Amino acid sequence: MANFGIIGCGRMGKNHAKGISTGTDGKVVAVYDPNPDATAFMHETYGAEVMPNAEALAAHPKVDCVIVTSPTYCHLEGVKAAVGAHKHIFCEKPVDRTWEAALETESLVKDYDKIFTIGFVRRYLPKTRRLKALLDEGFLGRIRFCNVDLPLGIFKRLYGDWFADFDKSGGVCYN
Ligand SMILES: NC(=O)c1ccc[n+]([C@@H]2O[C@H](COP(=O)([O-])OP(=O)(O)OC[C@H]3O[C@@H](n4cnc5c(N)ncnc54)[C@H](O)[C@@H]3O)[C@@H](O)[C@H]2O)c1
């Protein structure tokens, strides 16, 4: 049994909570989000304890692993809190918005003796793995130009959403 704490209870935080709770060996025990409606949902649905900040969540004695699903530009504060409390970490992709923050994250977890992983889920999808195999086999030849479109309707973006603000999200390097 592993106990999880979730920092950021929006679309992905809820998604991970659902996945954890669907399995038999995981439980969401604590959550933090500055939006009280988001934490209220997690408390009512999963019985998770609502924590006042990322540090308190990471330091919660029952939390084994911290899941960082806050907006991209806030990831570092969640990772810092989790490292400070010496917990396993799953951080959503991309690791952060800027190169500087990504490097700082790397320096925090480089010699870390707990698990730190980034949610590069698409690398593990069967179609992605097949494409990688075809590339490795040379079947597709040398790629000179590639355009990837991902029509995804499940994560609707609203006007003013941080996800649509280039200073807070996006960027070819990290996505
Ligand atoms: N792996 C994937 O396929 C996938 C898909 C979608 C999003 N993501 C990533 O997941 C992360 C979250 O995206 P989302 O779509 O869930 O965003 P979202 O906007 O739906 O949720 C973010 C939540 O974090 C909260 N928040 C804001 N500031 C915070 C802070 N400082 N500390 C803690 N919580 C804070 C917000 O109130 C909100 O509830 C992003 O990094 C995004 O790139 C990954």
Side-chain angles (χ1 to χ4, degrees):
M1 167 67 93
N3 288 324
F4 294 83
I6 299 183
I7 297 177
C9 305
R11 288 162 277 225
M12 286 314 287
K14 290 190 179 83
N15 209 24
H16 286 296
K18 191 174 173 189
I20 290 164
S21 306
T22 305
T24 53
D25 52 0
K27 189 169 167 33
V28 182
V29 293
V31 290
Y32 164 63
D33 192 301
N35 176 359
D37 291 340
T39 49
F41 173 84
M42 298 296 236
H43 176 70
E44 283 156 22
T45 313
Y46 303 107
E49 193 174 336
V50 177
M51 307 306 289
N53 53 52
E55 289 75 22
L57 176 132
H60 191 297
K62 282 192 183 160
V63 169
D64 304 308
C65 175
V66 174
I67 295 185
V68 181
T69 40
S70 51
T72 302
Y73 66 98
C74 304
H75 285 182
L76 183 56
E77 75 182 62
V79 172
K80 272 185 185 166
V83 169
H86 199 222
K87 302 290 171 77
H88 299 298
I89 306 163
F90 174 95
C91 179
E92 260 306 343
K93 69 175 169 67
V95 63
D96 215 295
R97 174 65 189 92
T98 66
W99 182 238
E100 292 73 23
L103 288 178
E104 191 173 343
T105 305
E106 184 192 31
S107 72
L108 284 171
V109 298
K110 203 171 179 186
D111 300 313
Y112 199 44
D113 60 353
K114 296 278 184 177
I115 295 168
F116 173 82
T117 187
I118 301 170
F120 286 128
V121 283
R122 294 189 201 290
R123 287 186 186 178
Y124 302 97
L125 298 179
K127 58 189 172 190
T128 313
R129 294 166 74 103
R130 179 73 186 125
L131 181 61
K132 175 79 166 56
L134 290 173
L135 283 166
D136 291 347
E137 288 162 17
F139 181 80
L140 295 174
R142 186 171 163 217
I143 303 295
R144 292 180 184 275
F145 179 81
C146 171
N147 182 50
V148 178
D149 291 308
L150 182 66
L152 198 61
I154 55 168
F155 294 114
K156 289 215 175 348
R157 300 297 159 189
L158 305 173
Y159 181 77
D161 197 327
W162 68 270
F163 213 84
D165 179 345
F166 191 76
D167 288 336
K168 297 177 175 170
S169 173
V172 71
C173 291
Y174 305 121
N175 279 325

